[in-house]
Amino acid sequence: MPDHSVSSLMTADQALHQRKGTMTDPGVLRADMHAEDALISRRSIRAFEYEPVPDDLTRRILEAARWAPSGSNIQPWKVHVLNGNALQKYTDAVLAAEKNGEPREMEYHYYAPEWREPFLARRRDCGFGLYGAMGIARDDRMARHDAFVSNFKFFGAATGFLFWIPSDLEHGSWLDYGTFIQSISIAARGWGLSTIAQGALGEFPHVAHQMFDIGDEFTLIGGMSIGWPVEDAPVNLFQPDRIDVDEFTTWLD
Ligand SMILES: Cc1cc2nc3c(=O)[nH]c(=O)nc-3n(C[C@H](O)[C@H](O)[C@H](O)COP(=O)(O)O)c2cc1C
């Protein structure tokens, strides 16, 4: 079998030498994890220990994620890192806005206006699975609401991100942003950290615009919680399945 483990372009060691020289040393051990293991062990975590991710480690993760590809290398990302008090202040402001019934309008449409199959069934499975894992009955609207509101509390994490994109950019740049967000999650896995991408953090955008003095030249996409999971939290045991490769792939020779 041919050995394809070493790329003829640049080995991992060469890349590390060339790029890592400028990267922060976070002062903690990095797990020896295959890229595939980082991908398949990533799970969205919804109960975190309240433990801030040290800035050097957060920086190191962002230093890795910035190598995400983007069309014409335009790198359309803009990130706020919220730690401790800053995160609490933002959470408080969003919770107050929610309580006061302030407008809850994301600055873009995440989903199509009409749900249809097969997406509707997948969405239902995901929702029922999630609430089931938390022991919340389907008709318990109050408990479902409370579970949703945990999004705004960054699921108990002490570190989170908000993601912004220049408002004049098009679909392609949103694609770029997806690669960036997943890169953060995978880089975090390499350091034994867990994450959850959160569109919900794009709700109440006026709170973020005001608090961080950002004009409408930027659109709030959402955010992410990052940290160490509460190991025995039932919600973290929820593992939504995936469709098979052959369901979405056409093989041609
Ligand atoms: C861009 C993006 C936004 C998401 N927003 C939320 C969110 O606001 N709240 C939430 O609980 N999960 C959110 N998720 C997590 C998805 O529900 C989750 O990825 C999906 O159910 C698959 O589960 P897994 O990530 O554990 O494999 C989001 C995921 C992505 C990629």
Side-chain angles (χ1 to χ4, degrees):
M1 207 185 253
D3 178 8
H4 291 305
S5 61
V6 178
S7 156
S8 58
L9 293 177
M10 203 191 327
T11 65
D13 278 351
Q14 285 166 336
L16 289 183
H17 182 72
Q18 205 177 83
R19 294 177 173 171
K20 213 175 79 177
T22 57
M23 290 168 80
T24 304
D25 176 3
V28 286
L29 276 183
R30 192 179 59 178
D32 190 6
M33 196 187 286
H34 193 288
E36 185 182 76
D37 296 337
L39 280 166
I40 64 177
S41 70
R42 187 210 54 77
R43 286 274 163 276
S44 293
I45 289 302
R46 295 182 179 84
F48 289 87
E49 300 288 356
Y50 186 79
E51 199 177 334
V53 180
D55 280 348
D56 279 351
L57 185 49
T58 305
R59 175 173 289 279
R60 176 65 177 260
I61 288 166
L62 293 173
E63 282 171 343
R66 78 197 160 114
W67 292 99
S70 60
S72 301
N73 198 26
I74 71 167
Q75 307 164 67
W77 22 88
K78 176 178 176 65
V79 179
H80 276 83
V81 177
L82 304 182
N83 269 324
N85 288 338
L87 182 140
Q88 191 60 51
K89 205 173 140 204
Y90 184 64
T91 291
D92 290 347
V94 172
L95 292 180
E98 205 247 356
K99 209 168 168 189
N100 296 338
E102 289 176 29
R104 183 185 199 141
E105 284 165 6
M106 290 176 80
E107 297 184 287
Y108 63 100
H109 298 290
Y110 194 110
Y111 297 110
E114 301 285 335
W115 281 95
R116 65 165 173 87
E117 296 302 345
F119 309 114
L120 181 61
R122 291 179 197 159
R123 178 195 189 213
R124 283 203 178 117
D125 282 353
C126 183
F128 291 151
L130 188 56
Y131 291 122
M134 288 187 278
I136 296 175
R138 290 179 189 196
D139 56 354
D140 190 344
R141 297 184 72 173
M142 188 76 115
R144 289 173 68 137
H145 171 264
D146 289 349
F148 185 77
V149 162
S150 326
N151 270 286
F152 305 135
K153 300 175 182 169
F154 293 81
F155 295 110
T159 299
F161 302 124
L162 291 181
F163 298 127
W164 305 84
I165 188 167
S167 305
D168 55 337
L169 297 186
E170 289 291 350
H171 288 60
S173 300
W174 288 72
L175 280 180
D176 299 340
Y177 223 113
T179 72
F180 176 66
I181 291 173
Q182 172 76 338
S183 297
I184 293 178
S185 290
I186 297 306
R189 289 298 306 133
W191 293 98
L193 286 161
S194 291
T195 55
I196 178 168
Q198 292 169 257
L201 287 170
E203 299 190 5
F204 303 106
H206 66 282
V207 174
H209 279 278
Q210 202 176 355
M211 185 170 285
F212 305 112
D213 199 18
I214 304 271
D216 57 12
E217 67 277 16
F218 282 95
T219 293
L220 182 65
I221 294 180
M224 177 177 272
S225 304
I226 182 167
W228 293 270
V230 175
E231 293 293 343
D232 53 0
V235 68
N236 288 341
L237 302 178
F238 171 59
Q239 298 200 353
D241 206 354
R242 295 296 194 270
I243 57 173
D244 288 335
V245 167
D246 288 320
E247 213 175 318
F248 63 83
T249 307
T250 306
W251 305 88
L252 304 166
D253 281 320

